[in-house]
Amino acid sequence: MPDARNPALLIRTLGEVAGSIGIVVALGLAPLSSVIALAQAQPLAVVLGAALFLREDVGWRRWAAVGLALIGVLMILRPGFSAFDPNLLWVLVYVIGLATRDLASRRLPARISTSFAVAWSMVPMTLAGALMMFFQGGWRPVSIETAAWYLGMILALAVALWTLTTAMRSGDVSSVAPFRYSRILFALIIAYFAFDEIPDLMTWAGVTLIVGSGLYAFWRERRLAETGA
């Protein structure tokens, strides 16, 4: 189909695949609380990408917010220190991939439906998963319980992708993106009760800096839109 070769759709699909691989690998290798805390940089990556690639006007205040968020990322990663976990670098693959996906979603032609965009991204993602499976021992039979978990993941992902793509295409980025910060609350609750994880003080400081910077950046963007500045 001609629409399947649309540049924006191809870029969106590439970002979807890269981001999905990044977060799945990160969740399998690093603590859930650290992964989700670092993933909060993704909405600000959208602001950065919008300024660099979509030529959106970003004032010095939002640039400062992006810079503070980067400091927060470094506080969580702590490169060069004994607490540094290289597995968390997979989260950066997720951040870049999903920021690319969201920015490309805003460039999709109106004739390409959200359902088509989401379904098309599943094709290369399935191929990527099959390729990774080949290098990790091949196919293994799963139990009924595991299959049920897989089905739940598939359904949740399908609904999330459809609703998020719809929001990014029809809503203002400054209104949509801040809602993503709510996931850290759910993630930290799950991390504590399911995996007995408690983030250290540096991680809390980093995620506070990232979330605070992100909320300010989107508040500033919305205020400028309302005043017409």
Side-chain angles (χ1 to χ4, degrees):
M1 299 175 64
D3 285 341
R5 298 189 298 272
N6 180 271
L9 182 61
L10 292 176
I11 294 173
R12 182 194 181 282
T13 300
L14 180 63
E16 183 78 69
V17 173
S20 297
I21 292 175
I23 194 65
V24 169
V25 175
L27 287 171
L29 299 176
L32 173 63
S33 55
S34 297
V35 170
I36 298 302
L38 191 57
Q40 302 315 303
Q42 194 268 331
L44 274 172
V46 174
V47 174
L48 180 61
L52 296 178
F53 302 109
L54 301 185
R55 307 300 183 189
E56 292 187 7
D57 185 27
V58 176
W60 69 269
R61 293 180 178 85
R62 280 179 287 173
W63 278 119
V66 172
L68 289 175
L70 179 58
I71 295 175
V73 168
L74 294 176
M75 291 173 67
I76 297 173
L77 283 177
R78 278 164 276 187
F81 293 87
S82 58
F84 173 63
D85 184 356
N87 294 317
L88 287 175
L89 294 177
W90 285 102
V91 186
L92 299 184
V93 177
Y94 159 81
V95 168
I96 296 172
L98 262 63
T100 301
R101 180 199 67 184
D102 289 349
L103 292 170
S105 294
R106 299 191 65 80
R107 287 294 181 262
L108 288 176
R111 69 176 184 277
I112 298 180
S113 68
T114 298
S115 299
F116 180 83
V118 172
W120 179 245
S121 66
M122 295 297 103
V123 176
M125 195 178 299
T126 301
L127 296 176
L131 183 62
M132 293 175 64
M133 183 175 63
F134 176 78
F135 287 102
Q136 294 182 335
W139 168 260
R140 294 186 181 91
V142 298
S143 65
I144 297 298
E145 180 182 358
T146 301
W149 281 109
Y150 283 155
L151 179 61
M153 291 166 59
I154 292 169
L155 294 175
L157 179 62
V159 172
L161 287 177
W162 188 89
T163 54
L164 180 59
T165 302
T166 300
M168 291 302 297
R169 295 185 70 182
S170 59
D172 184 53
V173 174
S174 62
S175 299
V176 175
F179 281 95
R180 293 186 174 183
Y181 291 122
S182 63
R183 63 186 167 186
I184 192 171
L185 174 63
F186 301 102
L188 291 178
I189 291 174
I190 294 172
Y192 177 77
F193 287 103
F195 304 107
D196 198 27
E197 294 178 10
I198 301 178
D200 59 20
L201 184 60
M202 187 67 75
T203 299
W204 278 115
V207 74
T208 300
L209 198 56
I210 293 172
V211 172
S213 300
L215 291 176
Y216 173 78
F218 293 119
W219 171 82
R220 179 66 182 173
E221 182 176 344
R222 190 166 188 81
R223 184 179 180 184
L224 291 175
E226 291 174 350
T227 58

